Amino acid sequence: MEGVGCSAALGDGAAASPRDLSLVPERIQRREQERQLEVERRKQKRQDQEVEEEKSGFFAAAFARERAAAEELLRGEASAERLEEAANRLQGLRRLLNDSVLFLAAYDLRQGQAALAQLQATLTERRQELQPKKRFAFKARKKDAAGAAQVDAAPAASAAPSPPSAEEEGAPGLSWACGFSNLESQDLEKRAEELHQRDILLSDLTNCTVRLRGNPNTLRLAKARGCKVLCGPVSTSVFLEDCCDCVLAVACQQLRVHTTKDTRVFLQVTSRAIVEDCSGIQFAPYTWSYPGIDKDFQDSGLDRSRNNWDHVDDFNWLARNVPSPNWSILPEAERDIQWD
């Protein structure tokens, strides 16, 4: 009996071996696939790093070149033409910095903003030097002193208005300070005179409602949680980074969304929106309105008849003819929102 049992056991073992052996190629194939995927991931990571380094190198070279040109213009003899050209150089630096926000290191961003602030302050000083001096006149009699002072002061005041500060002129290094940070459960608002062509920064906000009734130059929303942000037409770019469970209504020239999830965007945009490292992003047309929005659109230069709100490029999804799982169109039934 023991012999029979032993033979049966051997028989079962002999029968099991072919099945186990048949699994070997499958296991090897699976391991090979995993190895290839890991190699591909490392390759992609290396390529991404090279791209970031290339972008940073391009920014550093372009910024240094434009900065040197602006400094040369500001060092020379002051003239309206030279200062106008210097102002154009600063505007170019400003656009370059805004376009590089997503890939610049925080230190490089701060350095760039500080350099622009210094250049803007120098430009303001040189402009002040060109202002006409207050006229001086002898006063023959005391009884006419008050009248003479008024007559002389009036044309001087109209000819030489007090120059705006660097921040009032939208100095790039200082203008990021326009906004709100580190607040929770607040209703926040800024109006047209505070926003016009300013760079707006909203950061570290939780469960806040923000209304920006005006025409900013750029808008950056970072590290927001459970917030509702309503913004008038933005002349250039809107950056959304590291946000969660938010609602954003904005009109702009360009939208970039990075490391953000579970967020609804009511959008009017003239280019294609970009998402990267995101999930659960939903898009719908821009529907927010407020008194004065028509003028803000006119000032912004945006084409209201052009809206690519549903044209989105996902940098993490390269498959053709297959929709990205990271963003979607918000169903019409869910678009009816009480903004105010």
Side-chain angles (χ1 to χ4, degrees):
M1 293 297 294
E2 290 181 0
V4 173
C6 183
S7 299
L10 289 173
D12 291 343
S17 295
R19 287 198 297 270
D20 291 341
L21 290 175
S22 67
L23 296 177
V24 172
E26 182 180 346
R27 291 171 182 171
I28 293 176
Q29 185 178 9
R30 185 167 59 250
R31 289 177 183 175
E32 177 62 19
Q33 290 175 345
E34 292 173 354
R35 187 190 68 82
Q36 290 178 357
L37 286 174
E38 181 62 25
V39 169
E40 192 63 29
R41 279 194 294 267
R42 292 180 181 179
K43 180 181 177 181
Q44 186 63 45
K45 184 177 181 181
R46 187 164 57 251
Q47 290 176 345
D48 292 343
Q49 185 176 357
E50 291 173 355
V51 169
E52 293 298 316
E53 291 174 353
E54 183 178 350
K55 288 180 180 179
S56 298
F58 171 80
F59 166 80
F63 192 91
R65 182 175 60 252
E66 291 298 308
R67 178 182 178 181
E71 289 174 341
E72 180 64 25
L73 289 167
L74 293 173
R75 275 197 298 266
E77 181 180 354
S79 68
E81 293 76 11
R82 289 178 66 88
L83 295 186
E84 182 65 24
E85 186 176 349
N88 291 335
R89 294 280 185 177
L90 293 191
Q91 185 65 18
L93 284 171
R94 187 182 188 186
R95 287 194 297 268
L96 179 62
L97 191 63
N98 288 338
D99 290 342
S100 307
V101 165
L102 289 181
F103 62 80
L104 277 183
Y107 174 79
D108 293 333
L109 181 61
R110 288 194 300 269
Q111 290 293 100
Q113 290 173 349
L116 282 170
Q118 182 59 49
L119 288 171
Q120 186 67 51
T122 303
L123 176 61
T124 301
E125 293 174 2
R126 301 310 303 274
R127 281 175 170 168
Q128 188 173 5
E129 292 173 4
L130 287 182
Q131 300 291 347
K133 304 297 182 183
K134 182 179 178 180
R135 294 192 305 173
F136 175 79
F138 288 102
K139 294 172 240 181
R141 292 175 297 189
K142 287 184 179 180
K143 66 180 181 180
D144 293 332
Q150 292 176 0
V151 170
D152 289 340
S158 60
S162 176
S165 66
E167 183 175 358
E168 288 172 343
E169 289 195 1
L174 298 177
S175 57
W176 284 110
C178 182
F180 303 102
S181 297
N182 299 302
L183 294 171
E184 184 174 352
S185 303
Q186 299 286 322
D187 283 339
L188 308 167
E189 183 173 343
K190 284 189 178 293
R191 296 193 173 272
E193 58 273 14
E194 302 173 272
L195 297 171
H196 186 66
Q197 288 302 301
R198 300 290 298 278
D199 294 328
I200 309 302
L201 173 62
L202 307 175
S203 65
D204 297 283
L205 302 178
T206 303
N207 297 325
C208 291
T209 297
V210 185
R211 297 178 181 87
L212 305 175
R213 294 183 170 95
N215 166 223
N217 181 55
T218 65
L219 170 64
R220 183 181 182 188
L221 177 63
K223 298 181 180 179
R225 301 290 182 269
C227 292
K228 181 191 293 184
V229 178
L230 315 178
C231 185
V234 177
S235 293
T236 56
S237 299
V238 173
F239 305 97
L240 195 61
E241 186 173 20
D242 192 18
C243 298
C244 178
D245 194 26
C246 292
V247 175
L248 171 67
V250 68
C252 59
Q253 185 182 82
Q254 183 183 55
L255 173 70
R256 299 181 183 180
V257 186
H258 192 255
T259 57
T260 292
K261 61 182 181 179
D262 301 330
T263 291
R264 290 174 289 170
V265 181
F266 292 79
L267 178 65
Q268 176 156 342
V269 63
T270 56
S271 63
R272 297 177 67 91
I274 295 172
V275 299
E276 185 174 13
D277 299 327
C278 296
S279 63
I281 310 299
Q282 293 182 298
F283 290 94
Y286 181 73
T287 56
W288 188 51
S289 186
Y290 57 89
I293 193 172
D294 291 337
K295 182 180 183 302
D296 290 335
F297 262 106
Q298 185 177 0
D299 292 344
S300 72
L302 298 178
D303 184 357
R304 297 190 74 171
S305 65
R306 183 180 179 187
N307 190 2
N308 295 318
W309 66 272
D310 56 348
H311 295 180
V312 181
D313 291 328
D314 184 354
F315 281 8
N316 296 107
W317 189 257
L318 303 180
R320 296 181 179 181
N321 302 322
V322 180
S324 166
N326 301 317
W327 70 272
S328 62
I329 301 298
L330 183 67
E332 292 189 16
E334 301 177 23
R335 299 179 189 176
D336 187 13
I337 292 183
Q338 299 299 321
W339 296 117
D340 297 311

